[in-house]
């Protein structure tokens, strides 16, 4: 169901594929956040925040999470690449007419120019994501910013 | 001195031997063993021919004849599963083997050779990595054509990039190691160096990478076969079976269960084994113990000696006891029966060796001893309020408002992702009703107080030197004009000239604002310089206490004397002898909660018979203060004690 026809219908048709695709990635990211948080919570500045009388919730959400997200952002950009690959299969499962079905049809017909085009588009998406990641990285981590 | 020998360090058990790990390893190995047995003996194990069709019997559920039912062409699902496991094993071996065979030698070569070879190869690898993996495989399959072996060839090339980068990075680190340089110097050939010195180091991470790759290959094979460009029908693979199941989902939903479960279980087993391997190589995440909840009722006031509060007390600590639970279980007291007071505007120097309990005392005041430690008894009266009897919410209010803390290392105690303004105003935001503009003004004012320009407000901690950062930490501590500031080694991470500036700053602020300091330090000269009074800690309690000048120039306790004499000796032989004596004594040096006798007797050069029977009380010393030593009494009674040539 395309977005132009019905927003609700589109949301309805996209929910399950998105869930199928996102669940495994969310597990990978949860793992990253956990290990980063374990490291950050042992830092001195968390002890200092506790000594300032901040609530546990404020410490975790404001002081710890922002620092823990720095390594997670890097992983996130790799995850986007993996998600794009996963989308090829999820499209098949949910019979979505997307770039994945196009690629598979092209393989079957040995349509090399079409495959080249698809790869080019995917690479452009990945590069755009990497660029956004690098900018986000600078925003969230002052050490990576030119002063 | 005692003749106690140092206990031999326990050899840690290998990670895979631990019970919790075995619970993961045994089922994982069992799953993989089943898989391999099925693959090897598929022909004998399968009850039917995986390709023989029986259209009358199509799409049946599980039955006595067909344990896992039949598919759309009436083929036995169990038999197809067993033959599918053969495909899985072949796929994993082919793709992973190819990836290792291509990746490792190329990685070793370009890592060792460097230069153009390295540059060009790495750019190609980066290009491949920036395309989704399955798309790379699809492209290769588009060129080669479909089928199991071609698909696995494609995956092998794809995953070889991981092995290539692994091998290269290890070579790059190892070739700089001294022993490799040495081998080169003595004229060993390049190939010999590569094989002998580098290959041994690459083996552990390589094994981990192999398990991860096997898992990825299994998933990729299923994915490729599912979308119809891997294994081709009618051949039975778990991926093609899933494809069939998807097509007939509405007629027989059970068809998806066996191949789905098989893929999940196999990949899970491989990845869990990989995790165990990685952890036993030592790159896992260390999990800190969760904080034990401290029931408020557990804190008791020390029985007996109740010290009367004085009107000018800023802080009165009485009978404090802190327990920690070490990793191997149990409870160990780190602070026992500790009492001291700090008057308003006064600085108390808390002084002792590392692990004497001084930092724990400071953290106890802040109510943040952290995971694995808690206060079991005592009082902490801050301006008439017992900090240990506050509810968590009241305690949060007291911290920052009434007590603040400056930590030892300003490079780690300031949050790197917050600006100076955010760091300084954070306590105000939480504890006061000040408006944003007011807070900013106050922050600027505080910066001026610590002699920094207010233009520093929007900057981040990493832009400052250690001394500047410590000034920022002090400004944050001063933010709400606390009654007491705990200074935990505030200058020991700074260089000497900076130390002086910070000390003078602290002095100035204390006198201007009428605060009290609890200074925790191991440098007695520094403590003497800053403090009005000094308390010397040994094994979790105060052994001597008194005016700074008296304690520094005329120490009454043998331990204080020993610390003052602890300047290294110039004669190496004597210094070595002294050190080994100390080490032997320190081995026996554990806090004892319920033990008769003086805690210091085993290291004391003057230990008398009565010292072994009972601990000395705090006895008044001439010139002010107290010391927990019988020698103080002996002095008073006119008995001559051995003179202070202490060899501890």
């Amino acid at each position: 169901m395309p977005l132009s026809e019905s927003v609700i219908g589109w949301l309805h048709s996209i929910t399950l594929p998105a869930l199928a695709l996102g669940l495994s990635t969310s597990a990978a990211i949860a793992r990253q956040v956990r290990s980063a948080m374990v490291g950050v919570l042992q830092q001195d500045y968390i002890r200092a925040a506790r000594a300032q009388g901040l609530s546990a919730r404020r410490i975790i959400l404001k002081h710890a999470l922002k620092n823990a997200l720095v390594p997670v952002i890097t992983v996130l950009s790799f995850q986007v690449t993996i998600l794009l690959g996963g989308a090829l299969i999820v499209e098949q499962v949910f019979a979505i007419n997307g770039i994945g079905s196009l690629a598979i049809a092209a393989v079957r017909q040995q349509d090399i120019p079409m495959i080249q085009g698809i790869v080019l588009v995917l690479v452009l998406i990945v590069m755009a994501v990497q660029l956004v990641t690098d900018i986000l990285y600078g925003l969230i981590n002052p050490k990576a910013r030119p002063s | 001195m005692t003749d106690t020998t140092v206990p031999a360090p326990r050899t840690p058990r290998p990670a895979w031997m631990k019970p919790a790990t075995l619970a993961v390893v045994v089922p994982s190995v069992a799953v993989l063993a089943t898989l391999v047995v099925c693959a090897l003996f598929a022909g004998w194990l399968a009850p039917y021919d995986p390709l023989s069709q029986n259209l009358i019997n199509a799409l049946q559920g599980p039955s006595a004849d067909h344990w896992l039912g039949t598919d759309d062409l009436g083929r036995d699902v169990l038999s197809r599963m067993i033959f599918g496991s053969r495909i899985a094993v072949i796929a994993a071996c082919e793709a992973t083997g190819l990836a290792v065979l291509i990746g490792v030698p190329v990685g070793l070569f370009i890592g060792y050779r460097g230069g153009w070879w390295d540059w060009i190869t790495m750019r190609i690898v980066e290009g491949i990595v920036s395309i989704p993996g399955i798309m790379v495989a699809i492209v290769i399959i588009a060129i080669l054509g479909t089928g199991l072996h071609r698909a696995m060839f494609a995956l092998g090339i794809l995953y070889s990039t991981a092995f290539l980068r692994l091998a290269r990075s290890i070579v790059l680190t190892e070739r700089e190691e001294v022993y490799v340089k040495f081998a080169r110097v003595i004229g060993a050939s390049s190939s010999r160096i590569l094989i002998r010195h580098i290959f041994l180091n690459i083996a552990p991470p390589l094994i981990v990478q192999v398990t991860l790759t096997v898992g990825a290959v299994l998933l990729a094979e299923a994915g490729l076969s599912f979308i119809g460009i891997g294994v081709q029908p009618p051949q039975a693979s778990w991926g093609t079976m899933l494809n069939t199941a998807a097509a007939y989902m509405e007629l027989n939903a059970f068809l998806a269960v066996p191949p789905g479960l098989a893929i999940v279980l196999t990949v899970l087993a491989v990845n869990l084994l990989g995790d165990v391997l990685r952890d036993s190589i030592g790159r896992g995440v260390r999990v800190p113990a969760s904080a034990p909840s401290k029931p408020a009722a557990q804190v008791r006031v020390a029985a007996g000696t109740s010290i009367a509060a004085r009107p000018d007390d800023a802080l009165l600590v009485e009978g404090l006891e802190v327990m920690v639970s070490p990793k191997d279980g149990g409870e160990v007291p780190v602070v026992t029966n500790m009492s001291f007071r700090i008057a308003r505007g006064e600085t108390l120097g808390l002084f002792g060796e590392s692990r004497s309990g001084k930092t724990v005392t400071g953290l106890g005041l802040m109510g943040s001893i952290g995971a694995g430690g808690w206060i079991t008894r005592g009082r902490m009266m801050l301006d008439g309020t017992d900090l240990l009897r506050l509810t968590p919410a009241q305690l949060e209010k007291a911290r920052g408002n009434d007590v603040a803390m400056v930590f030892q290392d300003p490079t780690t105690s300031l949050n790197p992702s917050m600006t100076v303004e955010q760091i300084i105003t954070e306590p105000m935001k939480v504890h006061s009703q000040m408006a944003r503009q007011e807070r900013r003004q106050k922050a600027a004012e505080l910066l001026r107080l610590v002699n920094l320009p207010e233009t520093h407000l929007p900057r981040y901690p990493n832009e400052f030197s250690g001394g500047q950062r410590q000034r920022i930490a002090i400004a944050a501590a001063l933010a709400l004009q606390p009654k007491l500031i705990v200074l935990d080694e505030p200058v020991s991470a700074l260089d000497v000239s900076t130390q002086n500036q910070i000390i003078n700053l602290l002095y100035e602020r204390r006198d201007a604002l009428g605060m009290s300091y609890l200074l925790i330090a191991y440098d007695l000269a520094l403590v003497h310089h800053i403090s009005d009074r000094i308390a010397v800690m040994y094994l979790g309690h105060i052994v001597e206490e008194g005016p700074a000048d008296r304690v520094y120039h005329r120490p009454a306790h043998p331990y204080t004397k020993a610390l003052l004499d602890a300047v290294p000796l110039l004669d190496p032989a004597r210094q070595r002898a002294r050190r080994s004596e100390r080490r032997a004594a320190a081995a026996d040096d554990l806090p004892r909660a319920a033990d008769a006798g003086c805690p210091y007797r085993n290291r004391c050069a003057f230990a008398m018979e009565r010292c072994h029977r009972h601990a000395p009380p705090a006895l008044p010393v001439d010139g002010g203060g107290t010391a927990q030593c019988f020698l103080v009494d002996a002095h008073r009674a006119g008995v001559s004690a051995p003179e202070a040539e202490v060899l501890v």
Side-chain angles (χ1 to χ4, degrees), chain B residues 201-535:
Chain B
N201 285 297
I202 205 175
L206 192 67
I207 292 168
V208 174
Q209 186 62 42
V210 163
T211 60
L212 294 177
T213 306
V214 166
V217 165
L218 287 172
L219 282 180
E221 182 271 317
L224 289 174
S225 301
F226 176 79
I227 57 180
I229 58 174
V231 175
Q232 295 298 307
Q235 218 181 353
S237 109
W238 296 341
T240 53
M241 291 176 74
L242 269 185
N243 191 348
T244 311
Y248 295 93
M249 185 60 86
E250 268 133 49
L251 295 173
N252 184 1
F254 179 76
L255 268 184
V257 176
L261 265 184
I263 293 169
V264 169
L265 282 180
T266 312
V267 175
L268 193 63
V270 172
N271 281 345
L272 286 175
L273 272 184
D275 278 354
V276 170
L277 282 171
R278 180 172 49 191
D279 285 350
S280 60
I281 294 165
R283 281 197 295 167
V285 176
R286 205 164 48 90
V287 188
S290 59
S293 54
K294 175 203 72 178
Q298 220 186 317
V299 179
R300 288 156 299 183
V301 183
T305 59
S306 184
I307 308 170
R310 282 190 213 141
D312 68 335
D313 273 344
L315 177 73
L316 172 66
V317 171
E318 186 188 353
L320 185 70
E321 184 181 80
V322 181
M323 305 288 258
V324 295
S325 60
K327 287 217 173 58
D328 45 350
E331 288 182 6
V332 179
V334 286
V335 173
T336 55
N337 196 17
M338 163 126 170
S339 303
F340 61 89
R341 62 180 356 135
I342 305 176
R344 285 208 186 87
E346 186 184 51
T347 301
L348 175 72
L350 195 57
F351 166 69
E353 290 171 295
S354 52
R355 299 195 304 135
S356 63
K358 49 194 196 324
T359 295
V360 169
T361 305
L363 289 175
L365 271 172
M366 305 306 306
S368 63
I369 290 178
W374 60 97
I375 295 169
T376 45
R377 60 170 70 206
R379 294 202 288 163
M380 277 188 179
M381 310 296 292
L382 182 75
D383 223 20
T385 326
D386 191 344
L387 291 177
L388 298 185
R389 271 155 198 80
L390 296 180
T391 62
Q394 288 172 318
L395 191 61
E396 259 169 29
K397 238 183 127 202
R399 283 185 230 150
N401 249 336
D402 299 334
V403 210
M405 189 157 183
V406 175
F407 288 82
Q408 174 175 12
D409 186 355
T411 54
T412 59
S413 65
L414 301 181
N415 192 329
S417 67
M418 290 169 83
T419 62
V420 171
E421 181 181 345
Q422 285 173 320
I423 289 169
I424 297 179
T425 55
E426 187 73 3
M428 300 181 222
K429 242 182 253 175
V430 178
H431 295 294
S432 77
Q433 307 293 319
M434 291 158 105
R436 190 188 155 86
Q437 204 48 43
E438 250 180 294
R439 290 200 301 259
R440 168 166 293 174
Q441 267 170 14
K442 176 89 184 176
E445 190 188 313
L446 286 164
L447 267 194
R448 279 197 300 275
L449 282 183
V450 295
N451 302 325
L452 289 175
E454 61 181 281
T455 48
H456 284 350
L457 279 180
R459 299 220 198 150
Y460 286 91
N462 63 301
E463 300 171 46
F464 296 98
S465 71
Q468 287 172 317
R469 288 191 210 195
Q470 198 62 308
R471 284 164 195 273
I472 295 165
I474 291 171
L478 293 175
L480 292 166
Q481 287 164 4
K483 294 160 187 153
L484 175 74
I485 298 186
V486 178
L487 305 165
D488 186 4
E489 318 252 3
V491 295
S492 60
L494 308 175
D495 62 68
V496 180
S497 59
T498 319
Q499 283 189 358
N500 231 348
Q501 296 169 10
I502 296 286
I503 289 166
N504 290 338
L505 173 72
L506 287 170
Y507 249 140
E508 227 177 85
R509 288 300 108 215
R510 184 195 68 183
D511 295 342
L513 300 173
M515 297 177 296
S516 309
Y517 288 159
L518 175 64
L519 171 74
I520 297 166
Y522 55 75
D523 178 351
L524 193 48
L526 172 80
V527 173
H528 168 235
H529 181 62
I530 310 182
S531 309
D532 302 307
R533 287 188 308 120
I534 295 178

Side-chain angles (χ1 to χ4, degrees), chain B residues 122-161:
Chain B
M122 284 317 285
R123 293 300 86 78
I124 295 172
V125 167
E126 279 163 16
I128 293 177
V129 172
S130 68
I131 309 170
I134 202 136
M135 194 65 220
V136 176
I138 288 176
V139 170
I140 300 174
I141 291 168
I143 299 165
L144 298 176
T146 54
L148 173 67
H149 301 295
R150 289 175 184 141
M152 290 310 111
F153 183 79
L155 289 180
I157 291 177
L158 172 64
Y159 291 119
S160 70
T161 55

